[in-house]
Amino acid sequence: MTSDYSPAAFSFAISFRDDGAEAIDGAFQEVSGLDNERQVHDLEEGGENRFVHAFPGSIKHSNLVLKRGQLATTSRLFAWCRQTFEGGLAQAIQPQNISVSLLDVKATSVLTWEVRRAWPVKWSIESFSGSADRVAIETLEFAYESIVRQVHRGLT
């Protein structure tokens, strides 16, 4: 059965693969970077001034960006990011698959974006201010190899 309504963008879950097991780690307040873009190579033909030929190139995408309140130091996601940033390059970077699932009103996944072979490239904390009443927000940014969109049910 298909739904006439689009799922709400505020209900989503993040999970990642750690040592072969799936781990759901914390609540993120914002996700971005779920995009693909085909690069276009232009070719000007000598003597032809009415148009430029456009040819398809490689696929590029933004980094996956996750934002949330300060990460608990006991989480496996924290340990993976810490190892990547503080371990130097003496150890190989360990890419993981990260899944972003859009949920319906029953917290059931209707769409999932599987971000493959992701690894942390940036870890930042928003500025602190004595005049602002807000939670300390951290941003995790991941480079990745590819992204696959999976429709689970209800959307066609």
Side-chain angles (χ1 to χ4, degrees), residues 17-35:
R17 296 256 177 228
D18 182 27
D19 298 326
E22 186 173 36
I24 297 174
D25 195 334
F28 289 88
Q29 70 179 37
E30 186 176 325
V31 177
S32 61
L34 298 171
D35 57 63

Side-chain angles (χ1 to χ4, degrees), residues 1 19 22 65 67 77 114 124 133:
M1 180 170 121
D19 298 326
E22 186 173 36
V65 179
K67 291 185 179 185
L77 182 60
E114 184 177 338
S124 61
D133 183 19

Side-chain angles (χ1 to χ4, degrees), residues 61-64 115-121 141-145:
H61 44 76
S62 304
N63 286 340
L64 176 66
V115 178
R116 295 185 175 162
R117 297 191 47 77
W119 51 281
V121 295
E141 196 167 322
F142 301 87
Y144 59 92
E145 186 176 279

